Amino acid sequence: MKKKFLDLGKHPITNSFLNKIKKNNIKKEFFYNLSVGFDKKNYLVSLMNFVNPKKQYTSKYAHRASQSKTMNKSFAKIASRLKKRFRPKKVLEIGSNDGVFIKNFKRNNVIAVEPCSNLAKITRQNNFKTYNDFWSKKLAKKIIKQNKKKDLIYSANTISHIPNLNEVFSAVSLTLSKNGVFVFEDPYIGAVVKINSYDQFYDEHVHLFSLLSLSKILSKTDLKVFDIEIIKTHGGSIRFYVCKKNAKFKKTKNLKKVKLLEIKQQLHKFDTYRKFSSRVKKSKRDLRNLLSKLKAKNKKIISYGATYKSTTVFNYCNIGKKFIDYVIDTTPNKQGKFTPGKHLPIISPEKGLDNKVDYAFLGAWNFEKEIKQKEKSFLKRGGKFIVHVPKVRII
Ligand code: TYD
C-alpha cells in the first residue's frame, strides 16, 4: 500500500506536445493527478495514479536519445564497458529509443524492443532486428523462441516507466541465459531527495528506485542485484547489475557501500519523503518569486530545453506565458509545437536565443555543462541561466 507524500496537482502527458493551439485541441488535452507515494513494504516510491501506457508510447513519441552529444558518449562508454566485462554473444535492449545504445553492437548480436512505432522504424531502417511492442512475458517467450536466451539485457530509462514490475522481472528471468546479466539504469530517488529534483516525477516515471527498494522487490523472484553504480546521467541515476540467484556472479563491495548510504539518507523512511515534500513547496514559491521579480524589471525570460521535467515544473508552479516567452529546443520534431499544459511555443535555439533574451530557465538542467559550453556567446554578452535544483538561483 502506497502512502501519499507529494501532490503536484493536475498534469498533462509530458510527451503530448500540441501541434496547434486551437480551442478544440485544448479542450481535448488529457490531464491526470500527479501525486507520489511511498510503499513502506517495498521501500518503493511510485506515482499514486498510472496513465495508460498506450496513451504515452505512441507513434508520435518525441524524445530522441541521439540528440544529445552527452548521451551518445555515455551510451558508447557503457556499451564498451559491458562488452569488455561480460563478453555477451546475445544482447537485447528494452526501450531502444532511436538506437543510441544498440548502434554500438554488431547487428547480428543485438535485438531491440521499442513500443513507439516511430522509433522502432528508425532502428529497423538501420537494419537492427526490432520488436515494436511493450516488454512482457508474452513478448519474452516469443523472443527466446525466435532468438534464443540472452547473455546481456540492457535498459536505460525504461524499467522505471513500467507499472507492473512483477511482469518486468518475470520476463527478464525468462529471457536471461544461465549466467546472463540484466543491466538497467533509471533516475535515482536518492539524487531526487538530495537535490530536490521533484521534476523527475511525471507520467512516465512511475517508480523511482533505490537499492533498498529493488532488493525488496527482487527478493520475491529468482533474480538478485550483484553490482551497482550511482551515476551522473540525467541529474543522478542508479545502474543495477542483476543476474539469476544461482548465476556465477558474486556481490560486489559497492552494494554494501550504497546500502549504507541509503540507510544514512533514510530512503526507507516515510518521514524523509514528507520533509522532501516541504522543500518542493518552497522551491515552487522561490521560483515564482524570482520570475515575478525579473518580470517586474521587464526582463525577457525564455526556457532552454522542452524537457518532460520542465513540463512538471511549469504545470506545478503555474508558469506560463506571463513569465516565459517561449521554449528553445534542438529536437526538430518538438520545434513548431507547443508544450503540454502551458502551451508555450517551441522554437530552435538559433531562432530563439536572440540578443533580447536576458534569462533562460534551464529546463534541461541535466545538460548544464554541455549547454553552457555551447552557449558561450549568450553568457559572454550577459545572458544568464536560471536553475531550480538544488535551489532556485541564477547562474
Ligand atoms: P532530456 O534530458 O531527455 O529530459 P527529459 O527526460 O526531462 O525530457 O531532454 C533534454 C532536452 O533538451 C531535449 O529535448 C533536447 C534538448 N536539448 C537542447 O535543446 N539543447 C542541448 O544542447 C541539449 C543537450 C538538449
Side-chain angles (χ1 to χ4, degrees):
M1 265 295 279
K2 287 177 278 191
K3 190 171 160 190
K4 186 160 96 176
F5 63 85
L6 181 64
D7 195 334
L8 298 167
K10 291 271 173 240
H11 284 250
I13 291 183
T14 43
N15 189 48
S16 59
F17 296 93
L18 285 85
N19 286 327
K20 281 190 185 124
I21 296 298
K22 280 200 222 150
K23 249 195 193 149
N24 226 6
N25 284 4
I26 294 174
K27 234 165 101 189
K28 271 198 280 182
E29 206 173 7
F30 174 82
F31 283 84
Y32 69 100
N33 187 259
L34 178 58
S35 51
V36 194
F38 178 67
D39 167 10
K40 231 165 61 181
K41 213 171 96 214
N42 287 317
Y43 305 146
L44 183 65
V45 169
S46 310
L47 301 189
M48 296 301 290
N49 312 301
F50 303 148
V51 170
N52 181 351
K54 291 206 169 108
K55 272 192 179 353
Q56 299 168 300
Y57 307 105
T58 64
S59 62
K60 295 191 175 69
Y61 197 81
H63 177 75
R64 298 271 190 285
S66 295
Q67 287 290 316
S68 143
K69 269 194 207 153
T70 312
M71 291 318 293
N72 270 298
K73 261 202 233 158
S74 116
F75 281 116
K77 198 167 147 200
I78 183 64
S80 151
R81 282 181 52 211
L82 294 175
K83 278 192 256 185
K84 269 196 204 127
R85 183 169 174 189
F86 301 113
R87 311 217 165 267
K89 288 201 183 77
K90 293 256 171 208
V91 181
L92 169 88
E93 185 181 17
I94 307 171
S96 47
N97 197 269
D98 57 2
V100 67
F101 172 77
I102 54 168
K103 71 182 178 194
N104 297 291
F105 289 82
K106 287 196 187 118
R107 284 182 172 77
N108 53 350
N109 286 1
V110 60
I111 62 168
V113 172
E114 173 52 59
C116 305
S117 59
N118 58 332
L119 298 172
K121 197 170 153 195
I122 299 174
T123 47
R124 274 187 188 146
Q125 275 166 351
N126 288 324
N127 290 322
F128 285 99
K129 167 108 184 135
T130 308
Y131 290 85
N132 176 210
D133 208 343
F134 288 92
W135 180 242
S136 67
K137 278 191 278 189
K138 194 171 158 207
L139 179 64
K141 283 178 193 157
K142 188 168 152 189
I143 289 174
I144 48 178
K145 211 165 151 196
Q146 294 174 351
N147 271 289
K148 296 197 179 137
K149 297 209 173 194
K150 306 294 168 204
D151 310 310
L152 171 68
I153 303 178
Y154 177 78
S155 186
N157 305 307
T158 300
I159 302 306
S160 64
H161 296 199
I162 309 178
N164 188 345
L165 294 174
N166 288 335
E167 178 83 11
V168 167
F169 293 113
S170 304
V172 164
S173 175
L174 279 174
T175 315
L176 275 185
S177 60
K178 188 170 162 255
N179 283 308
V181 284
F182 173 38
V183 179
F184 73 100
E185 59 190 74
D186 281 286
Y188 180 38
I189 187 63
V192 170
V193 168
K194 191 169 166 194
I195 65 170
N196 217 23
S197 47
Y198 67 87
D199 50 342
Q200 290 288 12
F201 293 116
Y202 52 83
D203 60 303
E204 293 189 4
H205 288 170
V206 297
H207 312 289
L208 286 191
F209 298 111
S210 59
L211 172 60
L212 292 173
S213 62
L214 191 76
S215 306
K216 279 273 183 192
I217 293 161
L218 292 189
S219 67
K220 289 158 240 153
T221 69
D222 67 341
L223 300 170
K224 66 174 181 191
V225 190
F226 69 93
D227 198 4
I228 194 164
E229 286 160 15
I230 303 294
I231 53 177
K232 289 201 178 118
T233 319
H234 289 302
S237 296
I238 188 162
R239 180 180 289 141
F240 297 105
Y241 292 74
V242 170
C243 65
K244 299 238 168 123
K245 280 188 177 136
N246 55 5
K248 65 180 181 185
F249 302 101
K250 297 253 172 323
K251 290 189 177 181
T252 69
K253 284 184 188 148
N254 292 341
L255 282 185
K256 203 164 184 189
K257 236 164 64 189
V258 173
K259 190 175 166 193
L260 286 175
L261 284 173
E262 290 190 349
I263 290 172
K264 201 169 156 203
Q265 209 187 346
Q266 303 268 288
L267 292 184
H268 56 315
K269 296 277 166 67
F270 181 80
D271 205 42
T272 306
Y273 302 101
R274 194 186 50 75
K275 287 180 187 148
F276 163 76
S277 148
S278 308
R279 295 198 295 278
V280 173
K281 286 178 197 141
K282 178 175 180 335
S283 178
K284 172 178 177 170
R285 286 194 301 273
D286 290 350
L287 185 59
R288 285 192 59 87
N289 286 343
L290 175 63
L291 297 181
S292 301
K293 266 189 210 153
L294 296 176
K295 269 296 166 201
K297 291 184 198 158
N298 277 325
K299 299 293 181 194
K300 176 171 174 177
I301 312 171
I302 64 154
S303 185
Y304 201 118
T307 56
Y308 296 167
K309 292 189 286 294
S310 60
T311 291
T312 291
V313 175
F314 293 160
N315 285 281
Y316 170 57
C317 300
N318 192 16
I319 292 169
K321 285 177 204 112
K322 196 175 127 194
F323 293 122
I324 306 279
D325 287 25
Y326 49 79
V327 183
I328 55 171
D329 197 289
T330 47
T331 316
N333 59 336
K334 287 184 185 172
Q335 293 165 5
K337 296 188 179 164
F338 297 85
T339 63
K342 290 296 166 196
H343 311 146
L344 298 165
I346 305 168
I347 59 176
S348 72
E350 292 79 44
K351 265 197 207 157
L353 206 59
D354 60 35
N355 286 335
K356 293 186 193 120
V357 176
D358 298 301
Y359 293 90
F361 174 74
L362 253 188
W365 56 267
N366 45 317
F367 292 117
E368 182 183 327
K369 215 165 130 195
E370 183 175 337
I371 291 171
K372 273 183 171 165
Q373 189 73 22
K374 203 192 287 178
E375 305 302 353
K376 275 190 189 138
S377 59
F378 167 69
L379 291 167
K380 219 167 156 187
R381 69 156 177 81
K384 298 239 165 28
F385 287 111
I386 298 170
V387 285
H388 73 290
V389 289
K391 274 199 298 207
V392 173
R393 70 209 152 105
I394 294 169
I395 49 169

